[in-house]
Amino acid sequence: VLDECFFHDALRPRDLERILAPVYPSWDNGLYRDYLDKFRLPGKRLVKTFSRGMKMKLSLAAALAHRPQLLILDEATAGLDPVGVESILGNIRDYHQAHNATIILVSHSMEEVARTVDRLVVVNDGRVPFHGAPSEVFQHGPELEAMGLGVPQMTRVFNRLRAMGVDIGPSVYTIEQAKAAVLAKLKGVG
């Protein structure tokens, strides 16, 4: 799934069903229709009338309808509003859990990466300087930022706290982890 929808503007989602079903032996029309309903995509409207978010959901519905064991998403949430981002990522997480599929998520949004992935590979100038669990990779916040990659907001906040002398772990990168770290620190003080 790429960052743009490449289905022709004159097609409708129901047309794609007829076009793609013969291409993928494992295509499931019922599953495709379920995703259209889940994503609230009108089957009879032309693709050219869809918003960017609707087009991304259509691309994802088509990609998931043949139950792939490997799904590659290239900036699939770029340019979407927060609700659209969470919808796409939530469905990807659900698919991963239900089918134990491998999902490769290419993204410059470290916020999305932090709350979505189990394993992270950082590629910079054709090299892999960091890889591992997000808790390991995000410990290298200053190096990631020097490469031009953002780090999750919570990582920046906790890096700043450490720089100010607060004794707190380096692997905080989600709001949930921040809450737990702060509560643990407060319990330790009192």
Side-chain angles (χ1 to χ4, degrees), residues 10-158:
L11 293 174
R12 295 173 172 81
R14 296 292 179 165
D15 299 328
L16 293 175
E17 185 176 321
R18 289 191 318 272
I19 293 167
L20 295 175
V23 175
Y24 297 101
S26 58
W27 180 269
D28 183 335
N29 283 333
L31 182 59
Y32 177 68
R33 289 184 199 131
D34 287 347
Y35 278 115
L36 292 182
D37 291 342
K38 187 176 195 175
F39 294 149
R40 297 186 178 142
L41 297 174
K44 296 181 180 180
R45 264 183 53 195
L46 295 175
V47 170
K48 73 178 177 182
T49 66
F50 283 14
S51 69
R52 178 174 173 78
M54 292 170 75
K55 288 178 179 179
M56 290 310 306
K57 289 176 183 178
L58 178 60
S59 295
L60 187 58
L64 297 177
H66 64 94
R67 292 187 172 92
Q69 285 302 300
L70 171 64
L71 184 63
I72 302 172
L73 300 147
D74 185 10
E75 300 288 352
T77 60
L80 299 183
D81 63 38
V83 173
V85 168
E86 192 48 45
S87 174
I88 295 282
L89 294 178
N91 280 285
I92 291 166
R93 282 189 298 266
D94 292 347
Y95 184 82
H96 169 70
Q97 290 171 352
H99 300 279
N100 197 29
T102 299
I103 312 291
I104 298 175
L105 176 65
V106 178
S107 179
H108 284 86
S109 171
M110 294 299 109
E111 299 292 336
E112 290 174 17
V113 167
R115 44 178 217 272
T116 305
V117 305
D118 299 322
R119 183 164 172 73
L120 181 60
V121 177
V122 176
V123 179
N124 185 42
D125 291 330
R127 292 176 286 118
V128 178
F130 305 110
H131 63 88
S135 60
E136 297 166 9
V137 173
F138 289 133
Q139 288 183 28
H140 302 280
E143 295 98 320
L144 293 170
E145 288 180 327
M147 290 177 211
L149 293 174
V151 294
Q153 187 174 9
M154 286 297 113
T155 300
R156 285 195 304 273
V157 168
F158 278 75

